[in-house]
Amino acid sequence: MVEKKFVFQQVDDKVIERIVDDENVNINHMILKKGDALPQHYSNSNVYMIEHSRKVAGNFHEKIRKGLF
């Protein structure tokens, strides 16, 4: 498998962006402010979410930049 880098925004504003859209998987990147939510909608797919705080994400990205991961 060829490695492919997927770029996504790292901002404090609300963002919803599609990272991967192919026949096998759809991956969206979402940043929501505390208390924000998405409208309820129904789909014929499984949805998995990874939640993290800005502080945790910031530390993680800093470690990646330093080559610790």
Side-chain angles (χ1 to χ4, degrees):
M1 172 182 264
V2 177
E3 182 179 325
K4 182 174 181 182
K5 183 177 182 178
F6 296 97
V7 179
F8 55 91
Q9 297 182 55
Q10 297 179 42
V11 296
D12 291 328
D13 299 325
K14 180 178 179 177
V15 172
I16 301 173
E17 56 187 335
R18 177 131 319 152
I19 306 297
V20 177
D21 184 10
D22 70 27
E23 62 188 44
N24 299 311
V25 67
N26 292 322
I27 300 176
N28 295 321
H29 175 245
M30 296 181 280
I31 297 174
L32 302 174
K33 292 188 177 194
K34 188 172 184 172
D36 282 354
L38 298 173
Q40 184 175 7
H41 62 285
Y42 298 96
S43 173
N44 63 348
S45 63
N46 295 323
V47 175
Y48 302 92
M49 297 177 124
I50 299 172
E51 180 181 351
H52 63 84
S53 70
R54 182 78 169 150
K55 182 177 179 182
V56 171
N59 291 339
F60 178 73
H61 293 300
E62 184 63 28
K63 287 181 180 180
I64 290 174
R65 279 192 283 275
K66 290 180 179 178
L68 300 175
F69 280 101

